[in-house]
Amino acid sequence: RAKADAGSTPSFEMTWSSTTSSGYCSQEDSDSELEQYFTARTSLARRPRRDQDEPVEWETPDLSQAEIEQKIKEYNAQINSNLFMSLNKDGSYTGFIKVQLKLVRPVSVPSSKKPPSLQDARRGPGRSTSVRRRTSFYLPKDAVKHLHVLSRTRAREVIEALLRKFLVVDDPRKFALFERAERHGQVYLRKLLDDEQPLRLRLLAGPSDKALTFVLKENDSGEVNWDAFSMPELHNFLRILQREEEEHLRQILQKYSYCRQKIQEALHACPLG
């Protein structure tokens, strides 16, 4: 179980499970690959939602130590597995959260390494090496991961740990952790702040997946954080924008040329007089 020293950043261990296969589509990274995987429309602009999730905010009450202890007892009494929560002597508590991966775009790993399977993820990352080239691949769709965390573990630490476990070298700011809940037949989705504590939210909501599910998604807030992109990606965006501009101009010129031709044809067909 994870332990944290006073004044230090909480550490945590992970156990993994998945509802999907561990197949990957990989390809050596290059300028053409970046153009294949990224477009200006999907990366630089706000995209319309494809689902019916509705953003919502709700308050999370502060609990006394006695209330936390009672909540943990109620939580453990409701689960049918060994994923219990435990109260520590220092007043913190540990437990498990489940994270669904719903990533649309591929992620990048060092090209010197093979795309990690779920078995590789359990063994942990190998030696760190300097990354100059990258291999891009898709993580298993809708994979589900169980993480053993501390009550003090923050949402940003959860994201960073997930990326490290799969050797993903993309900037963590490209990703966000969301909480998803079903209420009265409606689905609500809320993006967690970096300092929010997922295990605390899990305890307050109880063990039901309908009451709360954590989802890892791309951080598409509509605002572009340019510092989160590498130099090759930024240059690639410029090339894409230039090509889209040229294509847009070509279509406009073609449209006006067609209209001009039809007007001229109509004029020639009209009798003089």
Side-chain angles (χ1 to χ4, degrees):
R1 292 185 179 270
K3 295 183 179 180
D5 297 329
S8 62
T9 302
S11 61
F12 50 94
E13 60 184 74
M14 301 182 194
T15 57
W16 301 85
S17 66
S18 176
T19 58
T20 62
S21 65
S22 58
Y24 298 89
C25 298
S26 63
Q27 180 178 347
E28 288 299 316
D29 192 14
S30 63
D31 288 344
S32 60
E33 178 194 74
L34 288 174
E35 292 170 9
Q36 176 183 355
Y37 286 149
F38 295 93
T39 67
R41 289 190 178 89
T42 58
S43 299
L44 304 182
R46 183 190 296 270
R47 295 181 297 166
R49 289 187 179 272
R50 296 181 180 179
D51 51 32
Q52 299 300 316
D53 292 346
E54 298 180 6
V56 68
E57 296 183 3
W58 52 82
E59 296 181 356
T60 54
D62 292 328
L63 300 178
S64 65
Q65 196 62 29
E67 289 173 326
I68 291 175
E69 186 174 357
Q70 180 62 29
K71 279 281 187 182
I72 291 175
K73 290 180 180 179
E74 294 174 357
Y75 182 96
N76 291 338
Q78 297 178 54
I79 61 175
N80 299 319
S81 63
N82 60 347
L83 304 181
F84 297 104
M85 290 195 188
S86 301
L87 188 63
N88 300 323
K89 293 181 179 180
D90 62 357
S92 65
Y93 50 97
T94 58
F96 293 85
I97 60 172
K98 183 169 69 174
V99 181
Q100 253 187 331
L101 275 67
K102 288 185 173 291
L103 301 178
V104 178
R105 296 192 287 267
V107 296
S108 299
V109 298
S111 61
S112 59
K113 299 179 182 294
K114 296 180 180 179
S117 63
L118 293 178
Q119 288 75 18
D120 296 330
R122 293 191 186 100
R123 287 195 293 267
R127 294 180 180 178
S128 59
T129 58
S130 59
V131 178
R132 293 188 177 182
R133 294 179 59 104
R134 298 179 179 184
T135 298
S136 295
F137 65 97
Y138 289 89
L139 283 173
K141 185 178 181 181
D142 290 340
V144 175
K145 307 291 182 288
H146 286 90
L147 288 75
H148 189 215
V149 300
L150 279 166
S151 55
R152 292 189 291 265
T153 301
R154 299 172 298 168
R156 178 53 51 187
E157 293 177 288
V158 170
I159 296 172
E160 292 171 352
L162 283 170
L163 299 182
R164 282 198 307 270
K165 207 67 178 178
F166 279 101
L167 308 179
V168 175
V169 295
D170 294 307
D171 194 301
R173 290 174 293 180
K174 293 183 180 180
F175 306 91
L177 193 64
F178 291 79
E179 60 175 347
R180 183 180 185 274
E182 297 181 24
R183 298 180 181 179
H184 310 295
Q186 298 292 325
V187 176
Y188 299 94
L189 194 70
R190 185 180 74 90
K191 177 181 173 181
L192 297 186
L193 300 176
D194 286 350
D195 292 333
E196 288 194 75
Q197 300 162 336
L199 188 62
R200 179 173 178 271
L201 298 175
R202 179 80 276 170
L203 178 63
L204 291 171
S208 172
D209 286 342
K210 289 188 176 181
L212 176 65
T213 302
F214 294 108
V215 182
L216 181 69
K217 302 176 69 175
E218 282 86 1
N219 191 12
D220 291 331
S221 62
E223 296 181 0
V224 181
N225 185 1
W226 299 110
D227 293 334
F229 294 96
S230 65
M231 289 298 292
E233 288 174 326
L234 293 173
H235 284 300
N236 187 62
F237 289 149
L238 289 177
R239 288 197 297 271
I240 293 171
L241 287 174
Q242 182 178 356
R243 292 179 184 180
E244 289 189 350
E245 181 183 6
E246 292 172 352
E247 176 62 21
H248 189 58
L249 289 173
R250 187 191 65 80
Q251 292 177 1
I252 293 176
L253 292 173
Q254 185 179 20
K255 174 184 176 181
Y256 280 95
S257 177
Y258 176 80
C259 291
R260 186 180 297 106
Q261 179 183 348
K262 289 300 181 181
I263 292 173
Q264 290 174 347
E265 290 176 358
L267 287 173
H268 289 307
C270 290
L272 297 175

